[in-house]
Amino acid sequence: MKSKYYYGPIRSRRLGRSLGVDVIPFKTCSLDCIYCECGPTNCSTLERKEYFPTAEIIRSLDSCLKSKPALDFITFAGSGEPTLHSGLGKIISFLKESYPQYQVAVITNATLLQDDQVIRDLQKADLIIPSLDAVSREAFEKINRPMTGLSPETIISGIQNLKENFSGDIWLEIFLVPGINDTQEELALFKEVLEKLGIRKVQLNTLDRPGVVDWIQPISKEEMERIASSLGNVEIVRKL
Ligand code: SF4
C-alpha cells in the first residue's frame, strides 16, 4: 500500500508490521544527521505548520485502514521530523478514535519536545521513540548538524518534558557513530543523562543503509555489546 501520506506495511525489527505515515514534505527537518537514510536536509526549520492539509491526510489514512490491514503499529516517520506538522494531534486522535485496534508510534528527533503543545499533540499515541545521539556539543554538531540555536540541552530537556507529561511508552534511541559518540567521555555523559532521565528502555542503533556522508561506518556487534553493558542499568534492545 502506498500513497502520498503512507507506505508499507513494512516489517520493522522494532515495531513488527508497521504502516509508515509521512506528514512532512521531503526533506524538512530541524537536524541534518550524517546518517539520515533520506539524504541531506534541504529545508531546515523549527516552524510547526500544516505542511500538508490535515483533513487530506486523515481521508487518505481512513481509506487505507477501512480494509482493516493486519498491522502491529501505525508509525509516524518518513521524509522529515513529524512533530513539525501542526495537525499531528488531530491525526493521532482520529486514528485512536476510529481505529483503536492499532497502536500508534511517533519517531522523533526530540528537538520540539520542549513545546507543551507538541506534548499535548502526542498524548494519544501509544509509543514515542525520541533520539538522543550526543550529550556533548561537539558530538551533537558532528552527528546531527543542527539548526542554529539547537543544543543537546534542548533535546535532553525536551525528553524530560515528555517523560514527565506523557503516559505512554518511551523508547530512547541512540545512534552510534564510531569515533564520535562511542568514546569513554561520551559514554560517561550518556550514562549520567540516562540515569537522570530514568528511561528504562534504550535502543542502540547503527548504520545499516548508506548515510549522507561517505565516511560514516557502522559500529561492530562486539562494540555495541560493550557499550550496552557500560551504559549500566538500562534495558538495551539492539537493532543489529
Ligand atoms: S532527525 Fe531524522 S529525518 Fe531529520 S535528519 Fe536526522 S535522521 Fe533525518
Side-chain angles (χ1 to χ4, degrees):
M1 297 185 289
K2 190 164 179 8
S3 89
K4 187 173 173 187
Y5 302 119
Y6 61 80
Y7 52 93
I10 53 167
R11 176 61 59 185
S12 157
R13 279 167 292 190
R14 294 184 285 183
L15 301 171
R17 218 173 132 79
S18 168
L19 183 75
V21 180
D22 195 358
V23 295
I24 296 293
F26 184 88
K27 167 78 215 278
T28 303
C29 194
S30 46
L31 301 178
D32 187 15
C33 305
I34 57 172
Y35 59 79
C36 188
E37 291 170 1
C38 298
T41 296
N42 51 29
C43 178
S44 293
T45 184
L46 274 166
E47 185 189 6
R48 293 199 84 206
K49 66 178 185 181
E50 204 174 359
Y51 286 90
F52 295 120
T54 303
E56 195 177 297
I57 297 171
I58 288 175
R59 265 198 306 278
S60 170
L61 287 172
D62 195 27
S63 72
C64 165
L65 296 171
K66 264 188 183 131
S67 63
K68 300 195 168 51
L71 299 172
D72 297 306
F73 271 96
I74 297 172
T75 307
F76 288 80
S79 305
E81 171 50 37
T83 61
L84 286 169
H85 198 293
S86 56
L88 185 63
K90 272 192 192 152
I91 302 167
I92 295 174
S93 291
F94 162 77
L95 291 172
K96 292 308 294 183
E97 280 156 25
S98 304
Y99 298 97
Q101 67 269 40
Y102 298 126
Q103 298 204 80
V104 171
V106 180
I107 298 177
T108 173
N109 67 20
T111 54
L112 286 94
L113 296 179
Q114 287 190 96
D115 180 342
D116 290 334
Q117 182 56 49
V118 173
I119 302 292
R120 282 194 287 277
D121 286 351
L122 294 172
Q123 216 44 249
K124 290 191 178 163
D126 299 283
L127 169 65
I128 309 296
I129 306 179
S131 286
L132 174 67
D133 298 331
V135 179
S136 76
R137 180 172 282 274
E138 195 190 349
F140 180 59
E141 298 279 344
K142 280 187 186 157
I143 297 173
N144 300 119
R145 303 191 300 185
M147 286 182 63
T148 310
L150 289 174
S151 68
E153 291 74 28
T154 318
I155 292 187
I156 293 163
S157 66
I159 295 171
Q160 185 71 48
N161 194 24
L162 180 74
K163 177 85 190 342
E164 287 166 8
N165 297 295
F166 174 71
S167 54
D169 287 334
I170 302 173
W171 301 351
L172 184 71
E173 177 169 316
I174 299 172
F175 192 102
L176 291 166
V177 182
I180 303 183
N181 63 352
D182 64 341
T183 62
Q184 289 301 331
E185 298 74 28
E186 291 295 330
L187 293 178
L189 292 172
F190 270 126
K191 192 168 176 183
E192 199 179 308
V193 167
L194 292 178
E195 278 169 10
K196 272 193 202 140
L197 288 172
I199 292 175
R200 310 308 300 172
K201 188 152 177 165
V202 177
Q203 301 187 316
L204 299 183
N205 192 5
T206 195
L207 195 74
D208 67 352
R209 290 181 214 156
V212 174
V213 294
D214 57 11
W215 53 263
I216 184 173
Q217 295 293 321
I219 206 156
S220 70
K221 193 164 179 277
E222 295 69 34
E223 187 63 1
M224 187 88 104
E225 275 162 12
R226 184 189 69 75
I227 291 168
S229 62
S230 81
L231 286 177
N233 188 26
V234 291
E235 180 187 356
I236 303 291
V237 181
R238 296 172 191 82
K239 284 182 72 183
L240 278 179

